[in-house]
């Protein structure tokens, strides 16, 4: 703006105020994603230091994170990706997963270095011991998320860059864990420990001993342990079919759209006075940044409509960190204040729009129904009745239909018989009404380099109602005849008519729309509307059907189910190829569904609706939760190759693998906590995904530590009992 003034493009008395700037919101979202990634990396490093107690080993992890991010950015550049909310969010999610492979490698090298004199030998043996598990875990992670890359439509458009970023980060972590980490860790020697460090190490050893005894005890109650987990899964299942679904979370960018509708026939001045009252209420709120009003119609591109009884207000709230309430709570407070003023004849509809450019139905609101039929008046009457019933449904607001907006028009009907008797034709009537209402151009006026039309018309003050039109003289009085007025040959009526006419498949339709209130999910609202539609009896030839929202949710459910099953299948196939066996992959894959128990706890405790990010998180969990099970089963197999008894092999593996399992799980969870907290603008899209992974992975820790050893013991005991030759030793 300053540049425009300095170039004398804008006069000094002209001020331009920005009422909306999406770049500010985008920059804030990117900054929050970067902050989540950095804070997640620092928290993950803190977990490593807590367990290993060596600053140099912690710095190995710390150096591996930026190197992996740099490698990820290179892969993103080769794929033509840019730094945006999705890719940076993928990096923030991937930070916790980046350290998994490096932690497993570093912890195993650290353990071997305590028992061997030469660090190089310890590093080599330790790397060989866990490299297979690391490759298997990374392969399963990639196989679980890669199917998303082959999906088109809106889901593929939104999440493809996120998946590519996470996949690149996982692949980068594999390369670094197999190359840089062993090279760095081999040169780190064990240092004398302080009293605090000895206390922490002693506590971990005590925890390992207690866990080994617990596994020894649970092996005697295998069926009871399995039954307990199965019951928990059965209890959690109803959460995923409860109907509390939405397609995508709403991004709280603070932009509120307000529509003001008054009774037809209101003057523009009275509409302005009432609108200014509402403007003042909005401007007085501490959360309000700007208020922009358009009165007397609407403007869309180069087209405009003049409707005195309509006004729209765009309210931009301050950023999330600068206000104490959400946009939904702000709308609720404003509705209460407007209700107190009792604006008779006025209806104020406020809504918070979703992601711009993304529509899940045929309307412009959260809910859309369509009423189809032949006669307009019947459609309007039915629409009024249905919207009245919709207003009684809890959770719906701003209920309206497209036929409620009316406009007045003059209907001038010529009495042809009387006009013929009086010698009046249609052209005379047309010319008279045109001059009276619109005027005709009779000449032009030239002023310098500008030309102005000279229009001849009757004074507007003389044409205020239909009766005034009746007094228009078509032919003046003469000696032989009296004057002929327009009302003598025409009937003039003021009629109300539809401002817009909508059709679908060449049939007239009326759109019925509604907004969702805070805390109401799209699935719950659609279920209530489906019950309402079943109770409504429509005349023959009239149909009430969904405007697209139900179809969107059904397509999402079908897509995620296919992806989830495909992810399970691919993970199982990858493990079967690596192990050249079906038994151990089956044991590992059976632990995956129980991660849904943790997700169900999050959904119930946090009142989290089922959305596309939640389903994406569940699919990602398929590849993540198997990591700990692979690590445990891999070491059990190594112990059995050394001719250990199956019980002893399980107990020994459980004791030695407790620390890396705790480290990888806690570091991943802690690394995603900043994103799961949803701080700042733009966090609403990826917050459900992070919450899903955090809660699901946390519960899967119990599954890996308690259920996997028990199931392994059960399956292999059955195999030994029936006398078949076991093959796990080659797995």
């Amino acid at each position: 703006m300053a540049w425009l003034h300095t170039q004398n493009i804008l006069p000094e008395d002209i001020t331009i105020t920005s009422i909306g700037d999406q770049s500010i919101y985008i920059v804030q979202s990117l900054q929050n994603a970067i902050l989540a990634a950095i804070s997640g990396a620092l928290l993950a490093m803190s977990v490593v230091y807590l367990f290993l107690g060596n600053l140099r080993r912690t710095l190995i992890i710390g150096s591996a994170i930026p190197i992996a991010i740099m490698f990820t950015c290179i892969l993103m550049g080769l794929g033509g990706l840019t730094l945006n909310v999705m890719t940076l969010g993928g990096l923030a999610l991937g930070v916790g997963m980046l350290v998994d492979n490096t932690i497993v490698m570093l912890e195993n090298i650290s353990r071997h270095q305590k028992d061997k004199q030469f660090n190089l030998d310890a590093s080599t043996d330790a790397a060989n011991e866990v490299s297979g598990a690391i490759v298997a875990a990374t392969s399963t992670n990639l196989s679980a998320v890669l199917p998303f890359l082959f999906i088109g439509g809106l889901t593929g458009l939104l999440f493809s860059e996120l998946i590519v970023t996470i996949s690149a980060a996982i692949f980068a972590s594999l390369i670094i864990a197999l190359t840089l980490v062993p090279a760095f860790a081999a040169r780190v020697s064990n240092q004398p420990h302080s009293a605090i460090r000895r206390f922490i190490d002693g506590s971990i050893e005590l925890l390992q001993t207690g866990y080994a005894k617990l596994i020894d005890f649970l092996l005697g109650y295998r069926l009871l342990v399995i039954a307990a987990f199965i019951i928990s899964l059965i209890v959690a299942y109803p959460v995923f079919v409860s109907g509390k679904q939405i397609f995508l979370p709403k991004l709280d960018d603070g932009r509120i759209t307000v529509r003001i509708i008054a009774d037809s026939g209101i003057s523009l001045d009275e509409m302005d006075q009432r609108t200014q009252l509402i403007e003042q209420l909005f401007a007085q709120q501490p959360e309000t940044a700007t208020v922009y009003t358009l009165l007397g119609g609407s403007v869309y591109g180069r087209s405009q409509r003049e409707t005195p009884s309509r006004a729209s207000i765009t309210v931009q709230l301050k950023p999330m960190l600068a206000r104490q309430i959400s946009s939904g709570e702000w709308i609720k407070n404003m509705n209460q204040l407007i209700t107190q003023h009792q604006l008779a004849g006025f209806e104020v509809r406020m809504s918070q729009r979703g992601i711009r450019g993304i529509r899940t139905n045929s309307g412009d609101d959260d809910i859309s129904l369509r009423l189809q039929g032949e006669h307009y008046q019947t459609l309007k009457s039915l629409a009024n009745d249905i919207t009245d019933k919709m207003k009684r449904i809890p959770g719906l607001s701003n209920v309206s239909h497209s036929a409620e907006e009316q406009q007045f028009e003059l209907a001038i009907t010529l009495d042809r018989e009387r006009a013929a008797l009086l010698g009046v034709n249609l052209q005379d009537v047309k010319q008279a009404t045109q001059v009276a209402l619109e005027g005709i151009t009779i000449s032009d006026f030239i002023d310098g380099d500008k030309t102005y039309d000279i229009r001849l018309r009757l004074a507007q003050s003389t044409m205020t109602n239909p009766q005034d039109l009746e007094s228009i003289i078509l032919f003046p009085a003469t000696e032989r005849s009296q004057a002929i007025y327009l009302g003598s040959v025409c009937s003039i009526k003021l009629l109300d008519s539809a401002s817009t006419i909508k059709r679908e498949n060449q049939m007239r339709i009326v759109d019925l729309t509604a907004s969702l209130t805070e805390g109401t999910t799209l699935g719950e609202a659609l279920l209530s509307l489906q019950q309402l539609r079943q109770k409504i009896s429509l005349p023959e030839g009239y149909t009430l059907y969904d405007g697209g929202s139900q179809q969107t949710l059904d397509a999402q459910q079908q897509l995620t189910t296919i992806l989830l099953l495909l992810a399970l299948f691919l993970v199982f196939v990858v493990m079967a190829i690596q192990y050249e066996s079906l038994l151990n992959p089956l044991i590992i894959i059976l632990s995956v569904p129980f991660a849904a128990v943790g997700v169900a706890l999050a959904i119930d405790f946090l009142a989290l609706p089922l959305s596309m990010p939640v389903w994406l998180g569940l699919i990602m969990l398929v590849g993540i939760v198997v990591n700990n099970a692979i690590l445990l089963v891999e070491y059990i197999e190594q112990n059995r190759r050394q001719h250990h008894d199956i019980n002893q092999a399980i107990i020994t593996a459980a004791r030695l693998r407790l620390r890396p399992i705790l480290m990888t799980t806690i570091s991943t969870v802690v690394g995603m906590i900043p994103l799961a907290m949803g701080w700042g603008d733009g966090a609403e899209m990826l917050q459900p995904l992070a919450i899903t992974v955090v809660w699901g992975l946390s519960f899967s820790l119990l599954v890996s530590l308690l259920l996997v050893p028990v199931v392994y013991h059960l399956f292999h005991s059955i195999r030994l009992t029936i006398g078949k030759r076991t093959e796990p030793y080659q797995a």
Side-chain angles (χ1 to χ4, degrees):
M1 298 302 108
W3 181 84
L4 293 176
H5 283 292
T6 57
Q7 298 297 317
N8 295 324
I9 298 176
L10 285 178
E12 293 296 332
D13 58 342
I14 300 296
T15 303
I16 297 179
T17 303
S18 175
I19 61 171
D21 189 353
Q22 280 295 297
S23 65
I24 297 175
Y25 176 74
I26 293 172
V27 169
Q28 291 172 342
S29 301
L30 294 178
Q31 290 175 347
N32 292 328
I34 294 172
L35 180 62
I38 295 175
S39 57
L42 294 176
L43 290 173
M45 290 172 59
S46 301
V47 173
V48 174
Y49 182 75
L50 176 66
F51 277 89
L52 297 183
N54 189 301
L55 183 60
R56 295 181 65 186
R57 289 195 176 97
T58 304
L59 291 177
I60 292 175
I61 300 293
S63 61
I65 292 176
I67 294 173
I69 292 178
M70 180 183 66
F71 187 68
T72 303
C73 291
I74 293 174
L75 295 177
M76 290 168 55
L78 295 176
L81 303 184
T82 60
L83 291 178
N84 52 51
V85 175
M86 280 298 176
T87 54
L88 287 175
L91 286 175
L93 286 168
V95 162
M97 302 168 64
L98 278 174
V99 298
D100 281 3
N101 291 332
T102 55
I103 284 176
V104 172
M105 180 66 73
L106 189 63
E107 189 278 337
N108 206 48
I109 292 174
S110 174
R111 183 175 61 84
H112 276 254
Q113 286 176 344
K114 291 181 180 180
D115 302 329
K116 296 187 177 182
Q117 182 178 1
F118 300 103
N119 289 336
L120 184 59
D121 294 338
S123 177
T124 303
D125 294 342
N128 292 331
E129 189 174 272
V130 296
S131 59
I134 290 176
V135 172
T138 305
S139 301
T140 56
N141 290 343
L142 292 175
S143 61
V145 298
L146 283 180
F148 259 96
L149 301 180
F150 303 99
I151 295 175
L154 183 58
T155 302
L157 178 66
L158 287 174
F159 296 104
S160 60
E161 292 189 353
L162 176 72
I163 296 301
V164 170
T165 305
I166 293 176
S167 301
I170 294 173
F171 182 72
S173 69
L174 172 65
I175 300 300
I176 292 174
L178 296 179
T179 56
L180 294 180
V181 174
F184 290 160
R187 290 163 175 79
V188 178
S189 59
N190 293 320
Q191 300 175 351
H193 297 304
S194 63
I196 297 178
R197 185 69 251 166
R198 288 195 298 270
F199 172 75
I200 295 176
D201 290 342
S203 300
I204 294 175
E205 291 180 1
L206 184 63
L207 183 63
Q208 290 175 320
T209 303
Y211 171 59
K213 293 181 179 179
L214 177 63
I215 292 299
D216 188 20
F217 173 76
L218 293 179
L219 291 179
Y221 299 92
R222 298 173 305 186
L223 297 180
L224 187 62
V225 173
I226 296 173
F229 278 95
I230 292 176
I231 292 173
S232 66
L233 184 60
I234 294 174
V235 173
Y237 175 75
V239 175
F240 298 97
V241 293
S242 61
K244 296 182 178 181
Q245 298 185 55
I246 59 175
F247 183 66
L248 291 172
K250 282 189 175 181
L251 297 183
D252 191 355
D253 59 354
R255 191 175 181 88
I256 310 297
T257 302
V258 184
R259 291 177 294 167
I260 303 175
I261 304 172
D263 293 337
S264 300
I266 189 174
S267 66
L268 192 61
D269 291 337
E270 184 180 357
M271 187 70 182
D272 187 26
Q273 293 175 3
R274 298 296 183 91
T275 304
Q276 286 185 14
L277 174 62
I278 298 173
E279 278 183 312
Q280 293 173 2
L281 286 177
F282 293 161
Q284 291 170 0
Q285 307 307 311
E287 301 85 11
T288 303
T290 59
V291 179
Y292 171 74
T293 303
L294 183 63
L295 183 68
S298 60
V299 176
Y300 184 79
R302 295 184 177 180
S303 62
Q304 61 183 21
R305 291 178 55 195
E306 296 182 3
T307 310
S309 60
R310 297 292 186 269
S312 62
I313 301 177
T314 302
V315 181
Q316 181 62 55
L317 303 183
K318 296 177 181 178
M320 285 287 294
L321 297 178
R323 50 186 163 100
Q324 301 296 325
I325 59 177
S326 65
S327 296
E329 293 171 335
W330 190 89
I331 292 175
K332 183 178 179 180
N333 295 339
M334 290 302 98
N335 281 327
Q336 294 175 352
L337 286 177
I338 293 173
T339 303
Q340 294 174 4
H341 284 76
Q342 298 180 349
L343 301 177
F346 280 76
E347 187 174 359
V348 181
R349 299 170 180 170
M350 289 180 280
S351 61
Q352 175 192 358
R353 295 303 182 191
I355 303 174
R356 293 190 177 188
I358 295 179
R359 296 174 59 178
T360 58
N361 56 58
S362 57
D364 296 327
D365 227 324
D366 299 324
I367 297 289
S368 176
L369 296 179
R370 286 195 158 179
L371 182 63
Q372 189 179 67
E374 182 177 356
H375 299 291
Y376 173 75
Q377 291 299 330
T378 305
L379 284 173
K380 181 180 177 182
S381 176
L382 291 172
N384 288 332
D385 180 59
I386 295 172
T387 51
D388 288 340
K389 294 178 180 178
M390 289 175 62
K391 291 177 181 179
R392 304 190 193 108
I393 297 178
L396 295 186
S397 63
N398 301 330
V399 180
S400 62
H401 62 82
S402 59
E404 67 182 8
E405 186 174 346
Q406 301 291 312
Q407 65 181 9
F408 292 105
E409 64 179 20
L410 283 171
I412 303 176
T413 306
L414 179 66
D415 187 342
R416 296 184 180 273
E417 293 182 1
R418 184 169 178 78
L421 292 174
L422 296 176
V424 178
N425 57 40
L426 184 61
Q427 185 64 30
D428 297 330
V429 174
K430 177 184 177 183
Q431 184 177 5
T433 54
Q434 183 178 4
V435 172
L437 298 177
E438 184 180 355
I440 57 175
T441 302
I442 59 174
S443 183
D444 56 13
F445 171 72
I446 300 176
D447 182 13
D449 60 346
K450 294 184 178 180
T451 302
Y452 302 92
D453 289 336
I454 298 176
R455 185 174 292 273
L456 176 65
R457 60 171 298 175
L458 293 179
Q460 290 185 344
S461 59
T462 62
M463 296 289 109
T464 58
N465 54 62
Q467 288 72 29
D468 293 336
L469 289 176
E470 294 179 354
S471 62
I472 295 176
I473 299 177
L474 297 179
F475 297 102
T478 64
E479 295 180 357
R480 298 182 179 181
S481 63
Q482 297 179 348
I484 300 176
Y485 297 93
L486 182 64
S488 302
V489 294
C490 294
S491 62
I492 304 174
K493 296 180 180 179
L494 188 64
L495 304 177
D496 60 334
S497 62
S499 60
T500 58
I501 297 178
K502 295 185 176 183
R503 297 182 184 274
E504 186 175 60
N505 297 328
Q506 300 182 353
M507 290 288 291
R508 180 172 287 180
I509 62 168
V510 173
D511 276 330
L512 296 87
T513 59
S515 302
L516 299 177
T517 59
E518 190 88 0
T520 303
T521 64
L522 180 60
E524 292 173 319
L526 290 176
L527 182 61
S528 300
L529 288 174
Q530 184 178 4
Q531 296 173 353
L532 175 64
R533 286 161 53 191
Q534 293 174 352
K535 298 178 182 178
I536 295 176
S537 177
L538 296 176
E540 185 177 354
Y542 292 83
T543 308
L544 180 64
Y545 58 94
D546 179 70
S549 300
Q550 186 66 56
Q551 183 180 1
T552 301
L553 284 187
D554 293 342
Q556 170 189 291
Q557 185 68 41
Q558 182 180 8
L559 175 63
T560 52
T561 302
I562 294 174
L563 288 176
L564 194 58
L565 295 176
L566 182 60
L568 285 169
F569 174 74
L570 290 178
V571 168
F572 180 77
V573 169
V574 168
M575 290 190 297
I577 293 174
Q578 290 175 337
Y579 285 107
E580 298 180 357
S581 170
L582 294 180
L583 185 58
N584 284 341
L586 180 62
I587 295 171
I588 295 171
I589 206 68
L590 286 177
S591 65
V592 172
F594 296 96
V597 178
V599 180
L601 291 174
I603 293 173
D604 186 63
F605 182 74
L606 301 176
L608 187 70
L610 286 166
S611 61
M612 197 64 207
V614 172
W615 293 112
L616 177 58
L618 278 169
I619 295 170
M620 289 178 60
L621 281 173
V622 173
I624 298 174
V625 299
V626 298
N627 293 354
N628 292 334
I630 290 174
L631 192 63
L632 186 59
V633 171
E634 182 84 10
Y635 201 68
I636 293 175
E637 292 297 324
Q638 292 179 11
N639 289 336
R640 294 190 66 187
R641 291 191 191 101
Q642 298 174 5
H643 307 292
H644 287 181
D645 176 70
I646 183 172
N647 286 43
Q648 187 61 38
I650 293 175
I651 295 172
T652 303
R655 183 181 183 281
L656 294 179
R657 286 292 176 251
L658 177 63
R659 187 168 71 163
I661 288 176
L662 289 176
M663 289 177 64
T664 55
T665 303
I666 295 176
S667 62
T668 302
V669 168
V670 169
M672 291 187 181
I673 282 180
L675 203 60
M677 297 299 292
W679 291 324
D681 298 298
E684 297 89 350
M685 178 62 73
L686 297 179
Q687 183 186 14
L689 195 158
I691 290 175
T692 301
V693 175
V694 167
W695 284 70
L697 192 57
S698 299
F699 188 83
S700 71
L701 178 63
L702 294 177
V703 177
S704 301
L705 295 179
L706 301 180
L707 182 63
V708 172
V710 170
V711 173
Y712 181 94
H713 188 275
L714 177 64
F715 279 30
H716 281 273
S717 297
I718 294 175
R719 188 171 187 178
L720 290 173
T721 301
I722 61 178
K724 292 185 178 180
R725 184 171 175 238
T726 59
E727 298 182 3
Y729 308 110
Q730 289 78 34

